[in-house]
Amino acid sequence: MNNKREINIRYISRVEGQDSVLINVRDNTVESVLLNIFEPPRFFERFLIGRRFDEVHYVTSRICGICPIAHVVAALRAVENAIGVEVDEQTKTLRKLLAMSGIIQSHVLHVFFLAAPDYLGYPDAIAMANDYPEVVKKAFKLKKLANEISATIGGRAVHPVSASIGGFLSFPTEEKLMKLKNELIEARKDAEETVKLVARFSFSELIRKQEFVALSKPNEYAIYDGNLVSSEGLKVQEKDYRQYVEEHYFSHSNAKFSNLRNRSSFMVGPLARVNLNYNLLNDEAKRVAEEAGFRVPENNVFKATLARTIEVVHFIEESIKIISEIKIKEVKPTYSWKPGSGIALTEAPRGLLYHSYKIGKSGSVEEADIVTPTAHNAYNIENDIKTIVPKTLILKNEGETKKVCEMLVRAYDPCISCSVHFLNLNVEKDS
Amino acid sequence: MDNKVKVGIFKLTSCAGCQMVIVHLEDSLLEINKYVSFEYFKMATSKNEEMQPVDIALVEGAVTTSEEVEELKEIRKNSKVLVAIGSCATTGGIPAMKNDTSQVELEKYVYKNLIPLTSVKAYGLNEYVPVDAYLYGCPIEGDEFLQLMANLLAGISPRFPAPSVCKECKIRGNYCLLVQGKKACLGPITRAGCNALCPSNGYPCTGCRGPSLDSNPRSLREILLDKGYSQEEIKKLFKLFNSQVSEFVEV
């Protein structure tokens, strides 16, 4: 007897953007999994053509309202690499501080507002607030602080404006930085308690052999630049990215999915970073990780949420360090430039982000290519779902299968707007 | 609970940045939550079932697919007040930059094989349905959102004054990027309300809030030509956020 059925998760909520999962099952084996991202495409790479090089970061920040900072930083570095502009140490430090604030903000949002309601049993954080007012208050406080750092360094939290080719156009006052430092010191406790809270979540388990990919540097926990490394021994320089990471089309989904050349899908993001660069986390982060029972390599995909909280602790400490040491010199950017091509790899909140541009003689963009963390992860998410669905089918409860799949997709914190700056996936209509 | 005003937040083609501005309101959001219930807010809650009627629909994003046209009409049918939030929803914004290029060429650039797409040209909401109020900017301003909600809850139709960004720059005593810096700043023709955020941080205004009440793009064009900007450069600047705004494009 053919026992064929279709499980359709029509709309995954509490992720940024619009996606669905369609799973075809026959006799309790999974025949196919389609991750459908039906967010409409926006063709950024095409309409960047002809725009001036100094606008690229300003425009590409609009790819995503949750991680605009990541796009700004990646675009600036890629364009600077293309046109031969070097920036000073202060600029690099301020950009790192800005990027860290973006990661803290995004992680806190994910942990408290998108993931926690699953584990604590609520439809959303606002409903959760009635029973856990202290938790929600803490989350708001942490997120607000991260946004304040973004706004202080970048001029605005959503779509920052101060970071520019060659440097910064405006600078924070010492008074403001000191205020932030004090608030960061106060926030340590909340961040640590967040790790403890999340460590108590009863995570589902999905462990399968897979490759983690992240940036890595010898002496720092890399987010701004570095080599591309993997848990299977890959070590690639930034400039060689395209020789190792491929994009594929699959007829079943009409999507651009990434895989490593001659290898399979891979996972990027906080879990990959913590696994690959654990030794470079600061002592505070390592201590809370140990106390939370987090051991690398942690192969359970669901624990990505816990990895986020560990990173929050890490980046709070790093931000305190930067603010304590920095003496800001208000130097406006000056530079000369030449036409050329350049790429940049950075770590966005959700993982590896790739920007690449060719700038012509007139200073206009001639080619643009962007691959976002969610695009890097999409194929891996599908493979994960294929692995986990048979396990949940034993429960014979379709609702449970759907819930676990939704939680799995959410563990990646997919940023769908980002992934469809170019993607188009057809809407999988119910028959 | 029962007497709360029902609010839905919807997203069409956009980056979710305007929703993020709302989420970033934090304490104020909890305050608003005393008076309204968010019935529809996919990014934040899993209690989004079939579309139920709402009192206020806040819609982010441009309309870029035929499915979105239908969705928007459905939202309009089910809401008493429909508010367009952000540049994309008010005028098409950044996504509308693609309108100048043919769909086939766009698709060829991003796909090796042409696949069936359902994209149409990108427009603001009022191309398809009547819109009751607008929040401008890329992204919207949190304070203006709060004012809008306060007005709607009080039954007042929201009004946002529309002098130019220049006025706010002058009030802040900023260095003038256009006159002193010789930068191509669209402050003189752009609707205020952002407290001149970009120019205050050293970045010229890009016109994300659309034309001000007394907008005179023709005159600004002359000034920019005088400063050595080419017609082509000026056109690109005017079209970044406003490719569908006739006042800007006709110049």
XYZ file of all heavy atoms in Angstrom, chain B residues 186-224:
280
model
N 20.119 66.351 -1.339
C 18.728 66.576 -1.752
C 17.885 67.199 -0.638
O 16.663 67.281 -0.753
C 18.089 65.263 -2.234
C 18.785 64.520 -3.387
C 17.875 63.440 -3.958
C 19.220 65.474 -4.490
N 18.554 67.652 0.426
C 17.853 68.287 1.541
C 16.858 69.382 1.137
O 15.754 69.430 1.675
N 17.200 70.254 0.170
C 16.287 71.354 -0.163
C 14.938 70.914 -0.726
O 13.970 71.678 -0.700
C 17.064 72.136 -1.237
C 18.493 71.776 -1.029
C 18.489 70.366 -0.520
N 14.867 69.696 -1.266
C 13.613 69.290 -1.908
C 12.938 68.106 -1.207
O 11.918 67.607 -1.660
C 13.849 68.918 -3.402
C 14.898 67.804 -3.537
C 14.275 70.149 -4.196
C 15.053 67.279 -4.957
N 13.515 67.680 -0.079
C 13.017 66.462 0.567
C 12.230 66.764 1.840
O 12.597 67.652 2.615
C 14.202 65.527 0.891
O 14.875 65.226 -0.326
C 13.740 64.240 1.549
N 11.174 66.017 2.023
C 10.276 66.158 3.164
C 11.018 65.961 4.494
O 11.724 64.966 4.685
C 9.182 65.103 3.026
C 8.269 64.942 4.208
C 7.336 63.773 3.952
N 6.252 64.186 3.068
C 5.070 64.635 3.520
N 4.831 64.724 4.796
N 4.142 64.992 2.666
N 10.834 66.881 5.409
C 11.473 66.807 6.731
C 10.771 65.781 7.623
O 9.800 65.163 7.207
C 11.447 68.173 7.382
N 11.284 65.636 8.830
C 10.673 64.704 9.783
C 11.701 63.739 10.343
O 11.461 63.033 11.315
N 12.866 63.703 9.696
C 13.937 62.795 10.132
C 14.925 63.534 11.019
O 15.920 62.971 11.435
C 14.659 62.246 8.909
S 15.272 63.563 7.832
N 14.651 64.828 11.285
C 15.595 65.675 12.003
C 16.943 65.710 11.274
O 17.993 65.706 11.900
C 15.758 65.194 13.452
C 16.243 66.311 14.352
O 16.203 67.499 13.967
N 16.724 65.970 15.528
N 16.865 65.746 9.963
C 18.056 65.843 9.102
C 19.123 64.843 9.503
O 20.289 65.180 9.646
C 18.608 67.279 9.123
N 18.715 63.608 9.675
C 19.625 62.593 10.219
C 20.889 62.395 9.377
O 22.005 62.426 9.893
C 18.888 61.259 10.393
C 19.715 60.202 11.115
C 18.930 59.564 12.245
C 20.240 59.138 10.164
N 20.720 62.182 8.082
C 21.902 61.898 7.256
C 22.870 63.082 7.191
O 24.052 62.926 7.504
C 21.493 61.408 5.869
S 20.731 59.772 5.903
N 22.371 64.287 6.811
C 23.307 65.427 6.766
C 23.969 65.698 8.119
O 25.139 66.080 8.170
C 22.420 66.610 6.351
C 21.228 66.006 5.710
C 21.033 64.662 6.356
N 23.238 65.451 9.203
C 23.827 65.681 10.528
C 24.979 64.723 10.792
O 25.821 64.972 11.639
C 22.775 65.507 11.623
O 21.706 66.391 11.394
N 24.986 63.589 10.082
C 26.082 62.640 10.215
C 27.067 62.728 9.056
O 27.859 61.816 8.838
C 25.537 61.220 10.330
C 25.044 60.917 11.736
O 25.833 60.763 12.660
N 23.739 60.885 11.904
N 26.963 63.803 8.284
C 27.937 64.008 7.228
C 27.604 63.358 5.900
O 28.385 63.414 4.961
N 26.429 62.711 5.814
C 26.053 62.071 4.553
C 24.962 62.906 3.888
O 23.952 63.226 4.518
C 25.543 60.648 4.814
C 25.565 59.762 3.581
C 26.682 58.993 3.276
C 24.473 59.713 2.705
C 26.717 58.194 2.141
C 24.503 58.918 1.571
C 25.629 58.155 1.296
O 25.658 57.367 0.168
N 25.135 63.278 2.600
C 24.124 64.120 1.952
C 22.754 63.443 1.934
O 22.673 62.221 1.858
C 24.647 64.251 0.515
C 26.064 63.821 0.545
C 26.230 62.894 1.702
N 21.699 64.254 1.996
C 20.329 63.728 1.930
C 20.122 63.049 0.579
O 20.512 63.554 -0.458
C 19.332 64.871 2.107
S 17.621 64.351 1.898
N 19.470 61.867 0.629
C 19.230 61.111 -0.598
C 17.769 61.152 -1.023
O 17.378 60.489 -1.973
C 19.634 59.635 -0.403
O 18.961 59.154 0.753
C 21.133 59.480 -0.218
N 16.964 61.900 -0.279
C 15.562 62.060 -0.674
C 14.657 60.908 -0.296
O 13.595 60.737 -0.882
N 15.033 60.133 0.716
C 14.270 58.909 1.018
C 12.852 59.200 1.489
O 11.994 58.329 1.445
C 15.011 58.025 2.030
S 14.884 58.548 3.749
N 12.594 60.433 1.948
C 11.254 60.740 2.455
C 10.350 61.365 1.396
O 9.241 61.796 1.684
C 11.353 61.624 3.700
C 12.082 60.918 4.859
C 12.304 61.825 6.044
N 11.069 62.408 6.529
C 10.235 61.806 7.379
N 10.523 60.610 7.837
N 9.130 62.393 7.756
N 10.836 61.441 0.173
C 10.003 61.984 -0.896
C 9.987 63.507 -0.886
O 10.640 64.138 -0.052
N 9.239 64.127 -1.823
C 9.286 65.573 -1.966
C 8.641 66.317 -0.793
O 7.643 65.875 -0.239
C 8.483 65.828 -3.255
C 7.701 64.589 -3.498
C 8.402 63.459 -2.826
N 9.238 67.455 -0.437
C 8.630 68.335 0.558
C 7.494 69.109 -0.113
O 7.328 69.059 -1.330
C 9.668 69.299 1.115
O 10.219 70.058 0.057
N 6.752 69.834 0.705
C 5.565 70.528 0.196
C 5.928 71.533 -0.892
O 5.253 71.660 -1.906
C 4.868 71.234 1.369
C 3.417 71.618 1.154
C 2.571 70.375 0.905
C 2.899 72.369 2.385
N 7.031 72.262 -0.658
C 7.406 73.316 -1.595
C 8.586 72.890 -2.466
O 9.408 73.686 -2.882
C 7.777 74.580 -0.806
C 8.768 74.257 0.313
O 9.110 73.057 0.461
O 9.205 75.173 1.018
N 8.647 71.613 -2.712
C 9.793 71.039 -3.416
C 9.998 71.679 -4.797
O 9.066 71.826 -5.566
C 9.540 69.540 -3.580
O 10.683 68.900 -4.061
N 11.245 72.068 -5.076
C 11.557 72.651 -6.386
C 12.773 71.954 -6.995
O 13.869 72.496 -7.039
C 11.810 74.158 -6.233
C 11.934 74.852 -7.580
O 12.028 74.187 -8.632
N 11.946 76.173 -7.573
N 12.574 70.729 -7.478
C 13.699 69.934 -7.986
C 14.407 70.610 -9.165
O 15.615 70.459 -9.321
C 13.044 68.623 -8.435
C 11.745 68.564 -7.720
C 11.310 69.985 -7.551
N 13.650 71.378 -9.966
C 14.236 72.032 -11.125
C 15.368 72.989 -10.714
O 16.447 72.991 -11.287
C 13.146 72.854 -11.840
C 12.961 72.510 -13.280
C 11.665 73.092 -13.804
N 10.662 72.043 -13.921
C 10.627 71.193 -14.937
N 11.529 71.286 -15.906
N 9.725 70.251 -14.997
N 15.067 73.742 -9.669
C 16.044 74.709 -9.183
C 17.268 74.006 -8.591
O 18.411 74.417 -8.809
C 15.366 75.607 -8.148
O 16.308 76.216 -7.336
N 17.019 72.910 -7.867
C 18.154 72.169 -7.300
C 19.017 71.592 -8.422
O 20.243 71.565 -8.343
C 17.673 71.045 -6.369
C 18.796 70.241 -5.702
C 19.670 71.119 -4.797
C 18.248 69.072 -4.885
N 18.351 71.163 -9.483
C 19.097 70.623 -10.623
C 20.067 71.679 -11.161
O 21.229 71.401 -11.432
C 18.141 70.177 -11.725
C 18.837 69.461 -12.867
C 17.903 69.261 -14.031
N 17.698 70.521 -14.737
C 17.849 70.677 -16.042
N 18.182 69.639 -16.782
N 17.647 71.838 -16.596
N 19.572 72.936 -11.304
C 20.420 74.022 -11.805
C 21.641 74.207 -10.898
O 22.771 74.342 -11.354
C 19.633 75.351 -11.876
C 18.473 75.347 -12.857
C 18.898 74.921 -14.261
O 19.946 75.404 -14.744
O 18.198 74.061 -14.864
N 21.360 74.215 -9.579
C 22.452 74.410 -8.619
C 23.497 73.308 -8.760
O 24.699 73.561 -8.770
C 21.889 74.440 -7.169
C 21.041 75.707 -6.970
C 23.007 74.393 -6.131
C 20.223 75.719 -5.689
N 23.019 72.057 -8.901
C 23.949 70.929 -8.997
C 24.724 70.970 -10.311
O 25.920 70.662 -10.344
C 23.196 69.598 -8.851
C 22.611 69.323 -7.449
C 21.805 68.021 -7.441
C 23.697 69.273 -6.381
